Amino acid sequence: MAKPNVISKRDLLKCAKDCLVDRGIDKFTLRAVADTAGVTQGTVYYHFRTKEQLLLDIVQDICDTSWEELSRSNETLIKQAIESAKSRCSYDSFFHKLFFTLVASSFNHEKIRGQLGEIMMSENKALSERLASLWAESPIEGISLGTWGILINSMVDGLALQALLQKDFPVEETFEKLEQLFKELGNLLNKEAK
């Protein structure tokens, strides 16, 4: 078996992401990843035993990367989260092309589907926990902070999907309004606290 002396696992993962976006899931093979990375297929096998393992590692990596940005201070959480989401929201967004390619492929791969589901649940939970550090309670009675986490995550993914499908999607305006929505929700809480 080839030794990984030519490329690191991290660099190979980046090449695999590029390959997946460029070729699509149907033409995504360990051989194609090796070609993209300029290494032998044995090098790819050394790091990733199967295509499924590689896809699972890609899923985990993109989600870990996106959450690193939100692990900073609470005082600008909403603004940071919106800026982060907006920066990846475009017609040519590599991040979301990759993410939605993985989502589509997961419908035929139960293990990938399960891992994506777990990642989504952990994102929802993390969002809810971050909101709890900002809001003592939900700004709207009957909507739990857990539900807010799910709703926010869904809104961001939905906006990304629309931007991928519409060249003229109004990203700036939409994210300005999303930020305004969260400011108004915060104002609701402040009024009720007084």
Side-chain angles (χ1 to χ4, degrees):
M1 178 173 284
K3 294 287 181 198
N5 59 0
V6 180
I7 191 168
S8 70
K9 185 173 183 176
R10 174 137 280 324
D11 289 342
L12 193 54
L13 198 57
K14 176 166 182 349
C15 290
K17 290 177 192 177
D18 292 340
C19 180
L20 183 58
V21 169
D22 292 343
R23 298 183 187 211
I25 195 69
D26 294 336
K27 295 180 183 172
F28 181 77
T29 63
L30 295 181
R31 162 59 66 208
V33 172
D35 291 346
T36 300
V39 298
T40 66
Q41 194 169 351
T43 299
V44 177
Y45 277 111
Y46 181 84
H47 290 292
F48 308 100
R49 304 297 263 158
T50 65
K51 176 179 167 178
E52 182 178 79
Q53 179 190 353
L54 178 53
L55 287 169
L56 290 171
D57 283 6
I58 289 172
V59 170
Q60 190 63 55
D61 184 68
I62 63 171
C63 291
D64 289 348
T65 301
S66 71
W67 279 100
E68 283 174 13
E69 294 177 29
L70 297 178
S71 63
R72 296 183 188 100
S73 71
N74 284 339
E75 55 212 39
T76 59
L77 171 67
I78 302 240
K79 189 154 190 69
Q80 261 185 328
I82 289 172
E83 285 302 315
S84 176
K86 183 172 74 173
S87 73
R88 293 188 309 263
C89 189
S90 70
Y91 187 73
D92 295 317
S93 170
F94 176 84
F95 177 87
H96 284 107
K97 282 181 184 178
L98 177 61
F99 179 72
F100 288 116
T101 297
L102 289 166
V103 168
S105 71
S106 77
F107 299 135
N108 295 316
H109 295 88
E110 200 57 40
K111 194 170 182 182
I112 295 170
R113 191 176 194 176
Q115 185 172 0
L116 276 172
E118 287 176 23
I119 290 168
M120 299 279 296
M121 285 189 320
S122 70
E123 286 179 347
N124 295 340
K125 182 179 180 208
L127 271 170
S128 300
E129 289 170 356
R130 300 290 289 184
L131 287 172
S133 69
L134 294 175
W135 299 342
E137 60 186 43
S138 173
I140 299 176
E141 189 177 330
I143 301 176
S144 70
L145 293 179
T147 300
W148 277 113
I150 293 167
L151 292 171
I152 292 168
N153 206 6
S154 298
M155 281 190 281
V156 169
D157 287 344
L159 293 173
L161 182 59
Q162 289 188 54
L164 281 173
L165 298 174
Q166 301 172 39
K167 275 189 177 184
D168 60 348
F169 183 76
V171 173
E172 289 296 325
E173 179 186 345
T174 302
F175 277 90
E176 280 177 23
K177 299 302 180 191
L178 186 61
E179 187 172 358
Q180 181 182 350
L181 170 70
F182 287 111
K183 284 180 183 175
E184 293 297 322
L185 290 170
N187 290 340
L188 276 175
L189 279 174
N190 290 337
K191 286 179 186 175
E192 290 176 11
K194 291 178 182 180

